[in-house]
Structure formats: structure tokens, C-alpha cells
Amino acid sequence: MSNPYAKLPAWAEYGLIPLVNLVVAFLVAGLVVLLVGENPLNAAYHMINGAFGRGEYIGFTLYYATTFIFTGLSVAVAFHAGLFNIGSEGQAYIGGIGVALACLWLDKTMPWFVVFPLAIVGSAAFGALWAFLPGWLQAKRGSHVVITTIMFNFIASSLMVYLLTRVLKPLGSMAPQTRTFEAGGQLPKLDWLLSVFGLEVGNAPFNVSFLLALLAAFGVWVLIWRTKLGYEMRTMGFSPSAARYAGMKEARITVIVMMISGGLAGLMALNPIMGEQFRMQLDFVQGAGFVGIAVALMGRSHPAGIIPAAILFGMLYQGGAEIAFEMPSISRDMIVIIQGLVILFAGALENMFRPAIGRGFATFGRRFPVAAERGA
Amino acid sequence: MEFFDTIVAILESTIRVSVPLIFAALAGLFTERAGVFDIGLEGKMLGAAFAAGAVAAVTGSVLMGLLAAILISVLLSLVHGYASITQRGSQIVSGVAINFIVAGSTVILGEAWFRQGGRTPALDADARFQTVTFPFADAVKDVPIFGPIYSNLLSGHFILTYVAFLLVPFSWWVLYRTRFGLRLRAVGENPGAVDTAGISVIWLRYRAVICCGILCGFAGAYLSLAMSAGFVKGMTAGKGYIALAALIFAKWRPVNIMMACLLFGFLDALAIRLQGNPLPFIGQVPVQLMQALPYILTVILLAGFIGKAVPPKAGGVPYVKER
């Protein structure tokens, strides 16, 4: 596809433009706060204080960030191959089955470090399984993956209601959830990591799966930029016809990419299920799959961008709770607006400010030719 | 006779729940036929429902409510149009963004303005749509077979219900028998050819997107001014996505759309009816299966096992004029 815009230096491409888009998204969100009759600066203060003010708050921020790193990576991997996986939500939800099965099976007899690897495999397998069909349908039958994954989200949600109200629920209990796991199904907190910085983790459910998320981010970087499959994925995403001409097997890549994407989404289930609630509840994903879209767009589908973007959204979730506490007229739904605005400005309107910034560089480029050359 | 009454009752609720689907799916028909994919139907419908509920509650006028719904829905459509036509951004991403922005802001604004937990105040009879009773509906009520069909199934719906069903042949006429319709379909299949003929692709697509906004406005107004008396947070509850599924299931054709919406509405009505009542021969059907059925059917259709759904050729691709 032809790119109608002038090439910018890397720092502008990956730093300045996302930053400008983000700032605009927050300015519009500030307008909504004004419309509600509150002071946006106050809201920003409460948000930042609520996200970073204490060790416990930081723990919560990183807990949410863990979830969003997984879903962000999931969306990003598919993006690289030119696929839009809106189904991370459903894949994460189904991934929960893998975690719950591992925990329900072994939590009474085995320590967490035996259950955890099994739960990792289980969640990734179930998530990948749920992404397999949309991937296969796209590859073999040409059904658009966007539509099928939306449909699969709804099917997943019906399936999980069925499983949690009829199959996985303990006898005699009314609540649609599994039983609470014993010690083997509970991940240890990362209190030592925060105490290195002199912070107390308190009640925050900041747990080992954060390290797994970082590992997954590294793994995705290796996959996309250091393996043959990654090269084929990027080729396919850049130009499907070029990939076909080079003899790459489109169908095979599509299915594998969707399964990797689904597996990453499935891993997300570890964090809330084994890290916080110690049981699988109805609707435990809570839209994290969709946040993943915003995170991937903001992070420009690069793990090094996804981690800060995930932390930013973790900050929004944790700080948003604090705003809701301090300013009753701004509920947590404010985050949903910000999330939508970020998707709009960093995603659909990503090129809105590009011509202006490009012009700016063209003018300055003439004055500082060295910088412009290095950029090109 | 009791069995017959049950069937009439199920069909009646089928019609009631299909109406927003028909409006929204027809809305999607106009943009998607013009080559602009729209997964933001859900958000536009929700925004329209909120605007309708809020304005009707403040002004006490159902007409003002409807106009507000259309206005908001068209504005959201224009945002989608600006992002995906003018800025040539991803149409899918833009649709997702609109869904989130609306889902959040209807709750925040509703709570700030009305303080009723994300609802708008309950509407008086004047501020919402009234049902229309056909002549002699009461008189023929007791006539066997014909009576219940005429007075329960055909008569006694909201005016918007009849509008929705009339819009089906009207949309067909616009798309297949007018110059605008021909060009609109052409721009979804081969925008380059339309451009060569000296017709503005951009302006045509914008008009399609505005049509979509108007129809989504009707869908939203139906939800908050007819089906219930006021806006409740998240009241679209996935209807926009079901409408999208219906649009695909109908292979982007107006009459098929009506059929698909009625089918999905029927499944919905049946699911409510079957809760706790086992089916003969099959036994108890889990209600979740019934709820998932529209989505499962759509996936099966997309897989090409019942016919083949071929989307407009230029759908999802922003048009770049030759430079």
C-alpha cells in the first residue's frame, strides 16, 4: 500500500506522534469532565495520585497493567500480520477455563510453582483454541476475522455463563463461580520487587504473572523481529500479494498468528483468576480484551511501546477508581471514554496531525539538514 | 387454541424486538454498500437512545426526542466518516472507538444531568410513542384465527414499527431503482470507476454515512421512546452487533435483512418464552444456547456452509485519489 505521507525521523514516528494523539485524547476527555461540571485539573491530580501516590496504589496500577500487557500483545501480534483480532476479550474469557481446570485439579495437593506452569499451558491452549476457528475460517473460507471474532466474543460469553452456572459451580452454591482455590491455586505477590524501591504492596494483588507478562513481551519481540515466522508475518501484513509471490503459505501463517494471538489473550486470565480472586467468576475479563486494542494502537504494536501503554491504562484504571471516590459525578465509566478517545486519536485518526508535523520537519529539516538525513 | 395463542404471542414479541434490528441493519446496509464498514452501529444506537431519552424527558416532546436521536447519531456517523473517509483511517478501529466513547459518555452525562444511576427520568405518555390501533381491532378480536392475527399481530404496534417495515421496500427502491442508489452501490464495488465518471467518491460516501446515522437514530429512539419509557444504561445490549450479524446473514440485501432480523428476533422471543419450559422431544434447551444462536448461525454462514456472504468489494478500503 502506498504511504501518502512523508517519512519522519524515528523519534517523531514512535514518540512524538503517539504523544500528540494521546494529549489530544486527554484534552477531549477533559472537555467531558468540564461538561459534567468538574475541574479537569483536579481530576488529573486525583488520577495521578490514585495511581502512584502509595506503594499499594502502584501495586494496583501494575496489576492492571499486567492484564493489559497480555491483551495488548495479543492484538499487536495479529496487527503485524494484517489481522484485526477483536476477539481477545472472548479468547481471554475462554482461557480462564484452562486456568480454572489446572487449579481445581491440583490446588490442594501441589504448590503454586507446579500449578502455575500447567495453568499457563492451559490458559494459552484454551485461548488459542478459541482463536483457531476464526483464524481457520479466515484462511480457508475467507470469512472476515473481524466479524467472526466479534461473533465468537458473544458465543464465548454465552458459553461461560452456561459453564459457570451449570458445570463449574460447586453443588449447593448460588453464585456463578468456581470454588475458591487453596494455596496451590494462589500466585505469590511481588512484594519483594516493590520493596526494592522502598514501597509497601499492601492489599494490591500485584503478582508473579507480571514477570510472565514481561517475558511474553520479550518473546513477542523475538518472534516478530528475530524469527522466520515473524518475518513472514510482517511481510504478509505489509503486502499479502508480496507474501504470496514469495511463496509464503498465507493460510498457515494466518492460523498460527491467530492462535498465538489467542494464546497471549488466554494468558491474561492467570492474573485475575490466580492472582486476585482465586476463583473464576462471571465476566472476570471486564473488557480487558478491548483495552488491548487501545494499548496495541498506542504502543504502535511494539512490545517496547505496549508495556508503557499498558502501564498508562493501568494508571487510568487504578486512578479512575480514585477519581470516582473523590468526585462522585465521575464514575469509572470515564475510563471507557478515555479508552475510546485513545483508540480514535491514536488509531483511526493517527494521520490527522501527521501532515502538520511533517511540514514542521520539512521547514526545520532545511535548517538542520543533518537531523533530517539521519531520520530518512 | 392455546397453542395458537402462544404462537401469536411469540410472533408479536418477535416483531417488537426485531424493529431496532431492522433499523440498525438497514443503516449498516447504506454505509457498507458504499464501502464504509461500520461496527459502530451499537454505539450510534446507544447514543441515539440516550439523546432521545434525555431530550424527551426535558422537553416532554416525543418529536424533539426523535430529532435529537437522529442529530446525535448523524454527528457520530460524521465522526466515523471523517476518520475513515477524509483521514483514511481504519474503519474498524474508528467503529470500535465510537462504541467505547458512547458507552462511557452516556453513563457519565446521564448520571451528571439526571442523577438516576445512568437512567434518564421515566417518560410520561406524551413524551413517548403510542401504539396504533387499527380500525375494528377490538371488534374482530374474538373471531377465531383471523381475530388474534389482526388485532394482536398486525394492529397495536408503535408507529415506528410500521415505519421500520415500510423502510425495507423503500431502501430497496432507493438502492436499486434510483441514480443515487446505483452510484452508492458502485462506490462500494469500484470507487475508481465512479471517480472516473466524474462523481465525487468522498461526497457519495459521506451521504451514505449520513443515511446510516439517520436510521440508527430511529433505532435508538425506538429503544428509549417506544420499547421502554426512557434510557437505561447499556440498553442496546449488543443489538448493534446482532444487526451487523443480520446484515451479513442477509448478504447485504434489504428484503433478506428484514427476514434475518425477524429470524434473530424470533430466536430472542423464543429464548425468553422457553425459559423453564422444556421443548417437546428435545427437552430443556439451555437459554444461553438460544442467545448464542444468531452469532453461531452467522459464523456458519460466513464459513460458506449456507450460501456465501460476499461483502461489497471495496468495503473497508479508504479511497485514495490518483496523484
Side-chain angles (χ1 to χ4, degrees):
Chain A
M1 219 191 291
S2 68
N3 187 357
Y5 302 102
K7 199 168 163 69
L8 295 174
W11 67 268
E13 180 70 38
Y14 297 107
L16 187 63
I17 287 188
L19 191 71
V20 169
N21 291 333
L22 192 67
V23 167
V24 175
F26 273 91
L27 286 179
V28 178
L31 280 182
V32 178
V33 175
L34 270 182
L35 217 60
V36 170
E38 294 278 358
N39 183 346
L41 290 178
N42 260 347
Y45 167 76
H46 286 307
M47 169 164 289
I48 291 169
N49 185 44
F52 297 114
R54 261 197 258 161
E56 188 175 353
Y57 298 165
I58 295 179
F60 268 105
T61 300
L62 291 175
Y63 162 74
Y64 290 120
T66 307
T67 293
F68 302 146
I69 292 175
F70 285 125
T71 53
L73 290 172
S74 161
V75 178
V77 164
F79 269 154
H80 277 289
L83 299 164
F84 194 167
N85 179 12
I86 306 193
S88 300
E89 181 82 9
Q91 289 142 16
Y93 207 179
I94 296 292
I97 301 176
V99 182
L101 288 183
C103 291
L104 290 172
W105 180 34
L106 290 173
D107 68 328
K108 287 181 181 158
T109 49
M110 295 285 172
W112 72 270
F113 51 82
V114 176
V115 182
F116 190 44
L118 278 173
I120 292 174
V121 173
S123 61
F126 273 89
L129 188 75
W130 202 246
F132 167 75
L133 258 184
W136 185 81
L137 288 172
Q138 166 85 62
K140 293 285 181 191
R141 319 280 314 186
S143 341
H144 205 295
V145 82
V146 169
I147 305 292
T148 41
T149 49
I150 292 177
M151 301 296 136
F152 267 67
N153 282 344
F154 284 100
I155 300 171
S157 134
S158 289
L159 179 69
M160 291 300 279
V161 174
Y162 176 79
L163 287 178
L164 282 172
T165 51
R166 304 213 184 187
V167 183
L168 292 170
K169 186 185 71 163
L171 278 178
S173 149
M174 288 302 287
Q177 56 193 30
T178 63
R179 70 173 165 80
T180 305
F181 308 141
E182 306 289 325
Q186 306 191 359
L187 292 180
K189 288 188 186 178
L190 285 180
D191 37 5
W192 52 269
L193 188 66
L194 283 189
S195 62
V196 172
F197 303 98
L199 297 163
E200 287 274 339
V201 75
N203 282 324
F206 177 48
N207 62 73
V208 176
S209 51
F210 177 70
L211 300 180
L212 182 71
L214 295 183
L215 211 64
F218 178 71
V220 166
W221 176 80
V222 170
L223 168 75
I224 291 175
W225 280 280
R226 288 292 178 274
T227 66
K228 181 164 162 262
L229 177 66
Y231 177 74
E232 292 178 335
M233 277 166 59
R234 282 182 293 137
T235 312
M236 203 176 96
F238 193 71
S239 165
S241 50
R244 216 171 302 137
Y245 191 64
M248 294 170 184
K249 295 194 180 62
E250 242 184 323
R252 184 177 143 268
I253 300 171
T254 304
V255 174
I256 293 178
V257 166
M258 280 306 286
M259 288 182 73
I260 294 174
S261 175
L264 286 166
L267 290 178
M268 167 267 160
L270 293 163
N271 192 34
I273 293 181
M274 282 185 84
E276 194 207 2
Q277 296 146 359
F278 310 128
R279 58 176 170 247
M280 183 160 69
Q281 294 175 326
L282 211 57
D283 205 19
F284 68 86
V285 185
Q286 294 199 321
F290 299 120
V291 179
I293 300 172
V295 168
L297 286 170
M298 236 191 78
R300 304 229 127 213
S301 301
H302 193 292
I306 286 171
I307 293 173
I311 291 175
L312 180 93
F313 270 91
M315 179 195 106
L316 286 177
Y317 267 65
Q318 166 56 18
E322 198 60 24
I323 295 185
F325 185 72
E326 297 283 339
M327 303 173 147
S329 59
I330 302 178
S331 65
R332 288 191 60 155
D333 295 278
M334 193 67 211
I335 307 164
V336 181
I337 302 184
I338 297 178
Q339 185 185 326
L341 289 168
V342 168
I343 295 177
L344 185 68
F345 285 103
L349 291 175
E350 61 167 343
N351 291 331
M352 191 156 72
F353 302 104
R354 196 179 288 266
I357 292 173
R359 266 198 302 281
F361 271 98
T363 351
F364 280 103
R366 243 171 277 133
R367 235 175 289 169
F368 307 105
V370 184
E373 240 166 66
R374 213 186 312 143
Chain B
M1 211 53 218
E2 199 189 320
F3 179 66
F4 180 71
D5 285 343
T6 311
I7 291 200
V8 169
I10 292 179
L11 290 181
E12 194 198 342
S13 51
T14 298
I15 292 178
R16 204 172 41 236
V17 295
S18 309
V19 170
L21 301 182
I22 293 178
F23 277 125
L26 288 176
L29 176 70
F30 276 92
T31 52
E32 302 215 344
R33 264 307 173 92
V36 182
F37 280 162
D38 194 352
I39 61 172
L41 295 175
E42 172 89 1
K44 284 198 272 272
M45 221 157 118
L46 190 66
F50 175 71
V55 170
V58 172
T59 62
S61 150
V62 64
L63 205 63
M64 293 305 286
L66 178 63
L67 286 178
I70 292 174
L71 182 74
I72 288 297
S73 174
V74 168
L75 282 178
L76 289 169
S77 283
L78 288 176
V79 171
H80 182 57
Y82 177 71
S84 54
I85 303 170
T86 305
Q87 292 291 338
R88 299 195 284 264
S90 162
Q91 301 171 1
I92 309 286
V93 173
S94 159
V96 172
I98 285 172
N99 285 343
F100 282 120
I101 293 170
V102 173
S105 41
T106 48
V107 178
I108 295 273
L109 295 179
E111 180 58 29
W113 291 343
F114 301 106
R115 308 216 172 277
Q116 297 188 6
R119 292 165 161 271
T120 60
L123 298 173
D124 301 330
D126 296 344
R128 53 181 294 212
F129 285 102
Q130 299 302 310
T131 51
V132 181
T133 311
F134 283 10
F136 313 117
D138 282 333
V140 298
K141 210 181 181 92
D142 297 325
V143 180
I145 311 292
F146 171 75
I149 290 183
Y150 182 76
S151 50
N152 290 342
L153 206 53
L154 296 180
S155 160
H157 291 288
F158 302 103
I159 187 128
L160 284 182
T161 309
Y162 301 109
V163 171
F165 282 95
L166 289 177
L167 269 173
V168 174
F170 180 72
S171 304
W172 176 84
W173 180 76
V174 169
L175 283 176
Y176 291 92
R177 286 292 178 272
T178 65
R179 187 177 354 189
F180 170 66
L182 176 68
R183 289 175 175 178
L184 188 140
R185 283 181 295 130
V187 91
E189 300 290 338
N190 190 347
V194 175
D195 201 17
T196 314
I199 302 157
S200 165
V201 172
I202 308 278
W203 170 226
L204 205 49
R205 285 193 168 167
Y206 264 108
R207 275 183 289 172
V209 162
I210 291 171
C211 289
C212 167
I214 294 171
L215 289 171
C216 276
F218 275 102
Y222 179 85
L223 289 178
S224 61
L225 298 182
M227 220 168 166
S228 45
F231 174 83
V232 184
K233 82 175 185 187
M235 78 185 305
T236 45
K239 286 192 181 64
Y241 294 110
I242 296 221
L244 194 67
L247 175 64
I248 297 161
F249 200 75
K251 302 171 189 171
W252 294 270
R253 294 208 181 92
V255 178
N256 291 6
I257 284 177
M258 183 181 75
M259 293 304 184
C261 291
L262 284 172
L263 172 68
F264 291 171
F266 176 73
L267 291 175
D268 195 8
L270 202 63
I272 296 163
R273 196 76 183 183
L274 285 183
Q275 243 161 353
N277 300 328
L279 266 183
F281 308 119
I282 306 171
Q284 185 71 268
V285 178
V287 71
Q288 291 85 15
L289 179 66
M290 300 291 289
Q291 284 163 349
L293 213 48
Y295 306 111
I296 296 175
L297 283 177
T298 306
V299 170
I300 295 175
L301 173 90
L302 278 169
F305 295 124
I306 5 174
K308 191 145 176 64
V310 183
K313 219 173 185 173
V317 188
Y319 181 64
V320 184
K321 215 175 164 82
E322 197 93 21
R323 282 174 314 250

